[in-house]
Amino acid sequence: MTKTGGSKLQKTDVKVSLIGGHRLKGETLHERTLTASLIGGADIDLRDIDIPDGAELRVTKLSLIGGVSLTVRPDVVVRVYGIRLGGVKDDGPSEPGGPTVRIDAWGLLGGVTVTRG
């Protein structure tokens, strides 16, 4: 993950499956990731990547059934948008400032759970 300037094009990763979720590690992601499945969630681990302060990593999750399980460092700010049944579980960053991860979760069933560690 590298910080992008205003005029630089951002790379987008696209992961698609009919049935079954996606397990994503931070070192394989670009600035934007789209994960889509009919049935299946997304398990995303971003602890091992360096997201510069002020940068934003964006993940979009589309599914009928399936939520997002996100693991980040304690200093990462997580913002969750979208419509889904299941809600959001996040205690917030334990340290002020830091980089931002934006999760756009669109689906019928499935919440977003953020684990810090």
Side-chain angles (χ1 to χ4, degrees):
M1 163 70 195
T2 57
K3 188 172 180 181
T4 58
S7 62
K8 184 178 176 185
L9 292 177
Q10 294 181 335
K11 295 180 180 181
T12 301
D13 292 318
V14 178
K15 312 286 184 191
V16 179
S17 66
L18 195 55
I19 298 176
H22 299 107
R23 188 172 304 254
L24 307 170
K25 297 287 271 177
E27 64 269 5
T28 62
L29 299 178
H30 291 102
E31 291 87 0
R32 295 174 184 248
T33 298
L34 169 66
T35 173
S37 59
L38 187 62
I39 299 173
D43 184 11
I44 305 167
D45 186 349
L46 301 177
R47 290 176 290 184
D48 296 333
I49 65 167
D50 181 33
I51 306 170
D53 286 348
E56 180 180 84
L57 181 69
R58 187 172 185 170
V59 177
T60 303
K61 172 69 172 102
L62 306 170
S63 65
L64 281 178
I65 300 172
V68 176
S69 175
L70 176 67
T71 305
V72 294
R73 296 186 325 258
D75 66 328
V76 174
V77 175
V78 177
R79 294 197 174 108
V80 180
Y81 300 92
I83 297 174
R84 74 233 151 266
L85 298 175
V88 176
K89 182 179 181 246
D90 181 13
D91 295 331
S94 57
E95 301 173 17
T100 301
V101 173
R102 176 182 170 142
I103 301 291
D104 295 308
W106 301 93
L108 194 57
L109 294 174
V112 176
T113 302
V114 179
T115 304
R116 297 176 184 280

